[in-house]
């Protein structure tokens, strides 16, 4: 029960038991995925882990109640005849009583077991109510992740294209649109802290991956703020940096394989095509080291989501 209430009500991580089995399960799936792509299996892992977690909570309560009653022979008796319930009889009685369906053929022998059963039924009802609310919230947050990613990819599938579109007119539609995207990314990060199971909600479509979308957005913003004439306004850049930092702060379990030199050369190529200076001392070079660290952190989040940075980088299929 403690694990359930911690997972549902605490906003900074799952309960110890949920964490102990769900994270190794996801790690194992990612290990298989790296050898043989199993996007269809990863896509159902999140919902399956969520449902299984709720089932395990209820089964844990059932088992605990069964052990308590089993340790007190005669606590539950047959309604007609007052014959003490055996182990299998208790296995029938406990889930029926906890779900509030009534006692059936077996009833508490009397005080204090009547009160114990009533209290445990209340706890089970509270757990099931919270679990349903938790499930609804997780589904809503999972949909938010996908719509946020889609909003980023609507601008393009590589940093150069996104930067070109956003750079058309930051003073009219592009600025507010970028600020809105930053707010959405921050919200996604906050939801993932509150519901860690969200990291297991994988989409078989890379354009619906929030980690990939955030990496794409960060790369595009790095290009925009490196423009020599009309770069990104400082306030807007700070908002985007904060949003990206929120997502980076969410710990990932995946391992990233990022060729930094190759990625830098590719970004330099994209910058030059956008007529952005890349010489030593230019804003692009000056900010690159800091941005490269952010990319490394985001690459881990991307790997944790079952993807790799090549899907959105300057050398992605869309950029070639």
């Amino acid at each position: 029960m403690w694990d359930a209430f911690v997972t549902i009500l605490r906003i900074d991580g799952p309960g110890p038991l949920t964490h102990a089995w769900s994270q190794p399960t996801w790690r194992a799936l990612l290990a298989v995925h790296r050898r043989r792509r199993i996007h269809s299996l990863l896509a159902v892992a999140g919902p399956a882990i969520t449902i299984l977690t709720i089932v395990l909570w209820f089964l844990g309560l059932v088992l605990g109640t069964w052990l308590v009653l089993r340790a007190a022979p005669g606590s539950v008796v047959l309604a007609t005849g007052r014959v003490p319930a055996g182990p299998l009889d208790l296995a029938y009685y406990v889930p029926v009583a906890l779900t509030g369906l009534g006692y059936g053929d077996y009833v508490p022998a009397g005080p204090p077991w009547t009160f114990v059963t009533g209290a445990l039924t209340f706890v089970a009802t509270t757990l099931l109510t919270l679990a349903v609310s938790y499930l609804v919230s997780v589904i809503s947050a999972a949909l938010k992740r996908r719509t946020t990613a889609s909003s980023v990819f609507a601008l393009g599938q590589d940093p150069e294209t996104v930067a070109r579109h956003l750079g058309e007119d930051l003073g009219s539609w592009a600025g507010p649109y970028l600020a809105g995207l930053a707010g959405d990314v921050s919200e996604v990060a906050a939801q993932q802290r509150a519901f860690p199971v969200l990291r297991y909600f994988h989409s078989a479509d890379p354009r619906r991956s929030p980690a990939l979308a955030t990496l794409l957005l960060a790369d595009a913003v790095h290009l925009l703020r490196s423009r020599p004439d009309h770069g990104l306004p400082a306030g807007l850049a700070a908002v985007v940096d904060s949003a990206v930092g929120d997502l980076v702060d969410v710990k990932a379990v995946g391992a990233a394989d990022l060729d930094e030199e190759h990625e830098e050369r590719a970004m330099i190529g994209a910058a030059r095509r956008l007529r952005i200076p890349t010489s030593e001392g230019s804003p692009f070079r000056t900010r690159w080291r800091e941005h490269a660290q952010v990319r490394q952190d985001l690459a881990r989040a991307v790997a944790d989501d079952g993807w790799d940075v090549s899907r959105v980088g300057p050398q992605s299929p869309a950029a070639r």
Side-chain angles (χ1 to χ4, degrees), residues 26 29-47 146 200-209 212 302-311:
W26 185 247
L29 289 172
L30 288 179
V32 174
H33 181 65
R34 283 193 290 270
R35 294 178 176 84
R36 180 181 179 183
R37 296 302 184 185
I38 50 171
H39 287 293
S40 57
L41 180 58
L42 290 182
V44 300
R146 295 192 174 192
Y200 312 137
F201 277 72
H202 171 85
S203 173
D205 184 350
R207 294 170 298 178
R208 294 184 177 182
S209 166
L212 277 172
V302 169
D304 188 43
D305 198 22
W307 292 103
D308 58 78
V309 297
S310 64
R311 301 296 307 190

Side-chain angles (χ1 to χ4, degrees), residues 173-221:
W173 70 270
Y177 190 84
L178 182 56
L181 289 178
D184 289 341
V185 170
S186 291
E187 184 179 351
V188 166
Q191 288 174 336
Q192 187 158 315
R193 288 193 191 90
F195 309 115
V197 72
L198 286 171
R199 66 169 16 113
Y200 312 137
F201 277 72
H202 171 85
S203 173
D205 184 350
R207 294 170 298 178
R208 294 184 177 182
S209 166
L212 277 172
T214 304
L215 175 60
L216 175 61
L217 185 64
D219 279 346
V221 167

Side-chain angles (χ1 to χ4, degrees), residues 2-315:
W2 174 251
D3 181 81
F5 285 118
V6 167
T7 302
I8 295 173
L9 300 177
R10 194 174 69 176
I11 61 173
D12 58 352
L17 296 179
T18 298
H19 178 77
W21 76 268
S22 61
Q23 182 165 303
T25 299
W26 185 247
R27 283 182 182 274
L29 289 172
L30 288 179
V32 174
H33 181 65
R34 283 193 290 270
R35 294 178 176 84
R36 180 181 179 183
R37 296 302 184 185
I38 50 171
H39 287 293
S40 57
L41 180 58
L42 290 182
V44 300
I49 289 175
T50 304
I51 296 297
L52 185 56
T53 297
I54 294 173
V55 170
L56 289 176
W57 288 338
F58 186 73
L59 289 179
L61 181 60
V62 169
L63 177 60
T65 304
W66 183 89
L67 290 173
V68 169
L69 298 179
R70 184 75 180 96
S75 56
V76 177
V77 297
L78 189 63
T80 57
R82 313 297 291 181
V83 178
L88 293 180
D89 300 322
L90 288 175
Y92 158 77
Y93 167 81
V94 170
V96 171
L98 292 183
T99 52
L101 297 178
Y103 293 139
D105 296 333
Y106 290 88
V107 296
W113 301 111
T114 304
F115 304 115
V116 170
T117 301
L120 290 173
T121 300
F122 173 77
V123 171
T125 302
T126 301
L127 173 62
L128 290 175
T129 302
L130 288 174
V132 170
S133 299
Y134 176 77
L135 182 60
V136 171
S137 298
V138 167
I139 292 174
S140 176
L143 291 175
K144 177 64 177 180
R145 286 161 57 87
R146 295 192 174 192
T147 56
T148 297
S150 297
S151 296
V152 176
F153 277 101
L155 295 169
Q157 298 188 44
D158 61 272
E160 181 182 341
T161 303
V162 175
R164 195 182 299 277
H165 287 159
L166 286 175
E168 290 174 354
D169 193 351
L170 284 170
S172 58
W173 70 270
Y177 190 84
L178 182 56
L181 289 178
D184 289 341
V185 170
S186 291
E187 184 179 351
V188 166
Q191 288 174 336
Q192 187 158 315
R193 288 193 191 90
F195 309 115
V197 72
L198 286 171
R199 66 169 16 113
Y200 312 137
F201 277 72
H202 171 85
S203 173
D205 184 350
R207 294 170 298 178
R208 294 184 177 182
S209 166
L212 277 172
T214 304
L215 175 60
L216 175 61
L217 185 64
D219 279 346
V221 167
H222 175 68
L223 292 172
L224 283 174
R225 73 199 310 176
S226 300
R227 295 190 305 179
D229 46 0
H230 45 288
L232 199 64
L236 186 54
V239 169
V240 177
D241 287 344
S242 176
V244 173
D246 288 341
L247 193 69
V248 167
D249 286 341
V250 179
K251 294 181 179 179
V253 303
D257 183 16
L258 191 63
D259 186 341
E260 293 185 14
E261 292 185 3
H262 173 76
E263 293 291 322
E264 182 178 4
R265 289 195 301 270
M267 283 291 289
I268 289 174
R272 288 174 176 170
R273 287 190 293 274
L274 291 171
R275 299 181 180 179
I276 295 173
T278 59
S279 58
E280 292 297 332
S282 65
F284 180 93
R285 292 283 190 175
T286 302
R287 297 189 179 98
W288 174 255
R289 180 170 297 180
E290 180 182 353
H291 180 63
Q293 181 57 55
V294 172
R295 293 190 90 253
Q296 189 75 297
D297 295 334
L298 286 172
R300 283 193 286 271
V302 169
D304 188 43
D305 198 22
W307 292 103
D308 58 78
V309 297
S310 64
R311 301 296 307 190
V312 298
Q315 292 299 313

